[in-house]
Coordinates of all heavy atoms in Angstrom, one line a residue:
Chain Z
M1 N -11.4 -55.4 -14.7 CA -12.6 -56.3 -14.5 C -13.6 -55.9 -13.4 O -13.0 -55.5 -12.4 CB -12.0 -57.8 -14.2 CG -13.1 -58.9 -14.7 SD -14.2 -59.4 -13.5 CE -13.1 -60.1 -12.2
I2 N -14.8 -55.6 -13.8 CA -15.8 -55.2 -12.7 C -16.9 -56.3 -12.7 O -17.2 -57.0 -13.7 CB -16.5 -54.0 -13.0 CG1 -16.9 -53.8 -14.5 CG2 -15.3 -52.8 -12.7 CD1 -17.7 -52.7 -14.7
S3 N -17.4 -56.5 -11.5 CA -18.6 -57.5 -11.3 C -19.6 -56.9 -10.3 O -19.3 -56.1 -9.5 CB -17.9 -58.7 -10.6 OG -18.7 -59.4 -9.9
K4 N -20.8 -57.4 -10.7 CA -22.0 -56.8 -9.9 C -23.1 -57.8 -9.9 O -23.3 -58.5 -10.9 CB -22.4 -55.5 -10.5 CG -23.1 -54.5 -9.6 CD -23.3 -53.2 -10.2 CE -24.3 -52.3 -9.4 NZ -24.5 -51.1 -10.0
K32 N -15.3 -58.2 -22.8 CA -15.7 -59.6 -22.6 C -16.8 -59.6 -21.5 O -16.7 -58.9 -20.4 CB -14.5 -60.3 -22.1 CG -14.8 -62.0 -22.0 CD -13.4 -62.7 -21.9 CE -13.7 -64.1 -21.6 NZ -14.9 -64.6 -22.4
N34 N -19.4 -61.9 -19.1 CA -19.7 -63.2 -18.5 C -20.9 -63.1 -17.6 O -21.0 -62.1 -16.9 CB -18.6 -63.8 -17.8 CG -17.6 -64.4 -18.8 OD1 -18.0 -64.9 -19.8 ND2 -16.4 -64.7 -18.3
T62 N -24.9 -62.8 -11.5 CA -23.6 -62.0 -11.5 C -23.2 -61.7 -12.9 O -23.2 -62.6 -13.8 CB -22.5 -62.8 -10.8 OG1 -23.1 -63.2 -9.6 CG2 -21.3 -62.0 -10.5
L63 N -22.9 -60.2 -13.1 CA -22.4 -59.9 -14.3 C -21.0 -59.5 -14.2 O -20.7 -58.7 -13.3 CB -23.3 -58.6 -14.7 CG -23.3 -58.2 -16.1 CD1 -23.7 -59.4 -17.1 CD2 -24.4 -57.1 -16.3
E64 N -20.1 -60.2 -15.1 CA -18.7 -59.8 -15.0 C -18.2 -59.2 -16.3 O -18.3 -59.9 -17.3 CB -18.0 -61.2 -14.7 CG -16.8 -61.1 -13.7 CD -16.2 -62.5 -13.6 OE1 -15.7 -63.2 -14.5 OE2 -16.4 -63.0 -12.3
I65 N -17.6 -58.1 -16.3 CA -17.3 -57.5 -17.5 C -15.8 -57.1 -17.5 O -15.3 -56.5 -16.5 CB -18.2 -56.3 -17.7 CG1 -19.7 -56.7 -17.6 CG2 -17.9 -55.7 -19.1 CD1 -20.7 -55.7 -18.0
D66 N -15.1 -57.4 -18.6 CA -13.7 -57.2 -18.6 C -13.3 -56.4 -19.9 O -13.6 -57.0 -21.0 CB -13.0 -58.4 -18.3 CG -11.5 -58.2 -18.2 OD1 -11.1 -57.0 -17.9 OD2 -10.8 -59.2 -18.3
G67 N -12.8 -55.3 -19.8 CA -12.2 -54.8 -21.2 C -12.7 -53.3 -21.4 O -13.4 -52.7 -20.5
K69 N -14.7 -50.1 -22.2 CA -16.0 -49.6 -21.9 C -16.8 -50.4 -21.0 O -18.1 -50.6 -21.0 CB -16.9 -49.5 -23.2 CG -16.4 -48.5 -24.2 CD -17.5 -48.2 -25.4 CE -17.2 -47.1 -26.2 NZ -18.1 -47.1 -27.4
E70 N -16.1 -51.2 -20.0 CA -16.8 -52.0 -19.1 C -17.8 -51.4 -18.2 O -18.8 -51.9 -17.9 CB -15.7 -52.8 -18.3 CG -14.8 -51.9 -17.4 CD -13.6 -52.8 -16.7 OE1 -13.4 -54.0 -17.3 OE2 -13.2 -52.2 -15.8
E71 N -17.4 -50.1 -17.8 CA -18.4 -49.4 -16.9 C -19.8 -49.1 -17.5 O -20.9 -49.3 -17.0 CB -17.9 -48.0 -16.4 CG -16.6 -48.1 -15.6 CD -16.9 -48.6 -14.1 OE1 -18.1 -48.4 -13.8 OE2 -16.0 -48.9 -13.4
E72 N -19.6 -48.7 -18.9 CA -20.8 -48.3 -19.6 C -21.6 -49.6 -19.9 O -22.9 -49.6 -19.8 CB -20.4 -47.7 -20.9 CG -21.3 -46.9 -21.6 CD -20.9 -46.4 -23.1 OE1 -19.7 -46.0 -23.1 OE2 -21.7 -46.4 -23.9
A73 N -21.0 -50.7 -20.2 CA -21.7 -51.9 -20.5 C -22.4 -52.4 -19.2 O -23.5 -52.8 -19.2 CB -20.6 -52.9 -20.9
M74 N -21.7 -52.3 -18.2 CA -22.4 -52.6 -16.8 C -23.7 -51.9 -16.5 O -24.7 -52.5 -16.2 CB -21.4 -52.4 -15.6 CG -21.8 -52.9 -14.4 SD -22.1 -54.6 -14.2 CE -20.5 -55.4 -13.9
E75 N -23.6 -50.6 -16.8 CA -24.8 -49.8 -16.5 C -25.9 -50.2 -17.5 O -27.1 -50.5 -17.0 CB -24.4 -48.3 -16.8 CG -25.4 -47.4 -16.3 CD -25.3 -46.0 -16.7 OE1 -24.2 -45.6 -16.8 OE2 -26.4 -45.4 -17.0

Side-chain angles (χ1 to χ4, degrees):
Chain Z
M1 206 263 298
I2 52 171
S3 156
K4 209 170 163 184
K32 191 164 170 44
N34 279 335
T62 308
L63 201 52
E64 213 174 67
I65 307 185
D66 190 15
K69 290 195 180 173
E70 55 185 23
E71 297 282 349
E72 201 185 323
M74 182 63 84
E75 196 195 320

